[in-house]
Amino acid sequence: MSDLDDTLVVRPPLFRAWAEQFLASVGAPADLLEWVIEQDRGGHRPRKEFLGALAARTGYDVPVDTFLDSYNEAIAGSYRLTGDTRAALAAARAAGWSLAVVTNGPTDVQSRKVEASGLADLVDALCISEEVGARKPEPLIFETAARRSGATLQGAWMVGDNLDADIAGAQRVGARSVWVKRDYDWLDYTSGTEPDLVAESFPDAVRQVLEATR
């Protein structure tokens, strides 16, 4: 099982590109870029709150819901897998693993990311919190991922960048875990959960899992 955002796909370059394009499109100063990135907080700030602040600062006078629709389509549509990530998924599949994406978020937005990245053809199951009715770290979303991928949680691994959602959730269902530790992490963790392994990227996580389970 794997998380999507900042695990399978690294978000900051995509957001930076969107922010640069947005500032140019509304005639706002380019030197606002770092402010926009700070306001975004790695995507963890509520979107309506973030987009409302951005509209107020730049004078972009559009209803927030309209802005949100445009933003989600642009960001989600830009999701791509690197060659290394595709190779890692193929290596896991060749080693006999079932693959599931387990992600928190709105169904339409997360589905668009999966479609744009081509993940749908590379995994056995997709579980989105809104559609499943449970968010990581709740056990139900992990249990659903295992069932949909035709596997069980016995011997399962979870790869993710969020200690409180991905790693704590894996622990709750008895799965082992790899924390993809990003140097741009905006979160403050409170669960106290420790991963089994720590990796610098998704391909590195898969490599470590395959070595640990030979």
Side-chain angles (χ1 to χ4, degrees):
M1 298 179 289
S2 176
D3 173 52
L4 174 56
D5 302 288
D6 282 320
T7 300
L8 284 162
V9 177
V10 178
R11 182 180 178 274
L14 308 181
F15 180 80
R16 177 176 285 271
W18 173 84
E20 289 175 341
Q21 183 176 27
F22 169 77
L23 291 173
S25 71
V26 300
D31 59 11
L32 282 180
L33 179 61
E34 297 306 321
W35 176 85
V36 173
I37 290 171
E38 182 177 355
Q39 293 299 307
D40 175 59
R41 296 173 195 162
H44 298 292
R45 185 177 184 182
R47 293 297 83 187
K48 286 192 176 182
E49 180 182 309
F50 161 67
L51 293 172
L54 185 56
R57 180 70 181 268
T58 63
Y60 188 52
D61 188 16
V62 174
V64 172
D65 285 343
T66 301
F67 197 175
L68 184 61
D69 288 342
S70 174
Y71 165 84
N72 282 332
E73 177 60 25
I75 291 289
S78 69
Y79 268 49
R80 300 291 186 272
L81 299 180
T82 66
D84 286 350
T85 296
R86 286 181 174 275
L89 289 167
R93 170 90 62 206
W97 290 88
S98 296
L99 307 174
V101 175
V102 185
T103 180
N104 286 347
T107 302
D108 57 345
V109 176
Q110 300 305 92
S111 295
R112 180 73 180 96
K113 292 175 182 177
V114 169
E115 177 187 0
S117 65
L119 269 168
D121 297 328
L122 303 175
V123 300
D124 299 293
L126 170 63
C127 290
I128 302 171
S129 62
E130 183 180 67
E131 174 261 326
V132 173
R135 293 177 58 84
K136 297 178 293 183
E138 296 173 50
L140 177 60
I141 194 167
F142 297 97
E143 294 164 354
T144 302
R147 175 172 51 79
R148 288 182 180 176
S149 59
T152 71
L153 289 167
Q154 184 175 0
W157 284 79
M158 177 66 192
V159 179
D161 70 306
N162 188 318
L163 284 173
D164 290 348
D166 302 312
I167 308 308
Q171 188 177 71
R172 288 187 185 186
V173 296
R176 299 181 72 184
S177 62
V178 188
W179 180 32
V180 178
K181 186 177 181 181
R182 302 294 187 185
D183 57 8
Y184 53 80
D185 198 342
W186 288 76
L187 296 176
D188 294 319
Y189 299 111
T190 60
S191 65
T193 306
E194 294 291 337
D196 293 284
L197 298 170
V198 178
E200 62 183 20
S201 65
F202 179 78
D204 182 41
V206 170
R207 178 187 60 78
Q208 291 193 50
V209 170
L210 294 181
E211 289 179 353
T213 56
R214 282 176 180 167

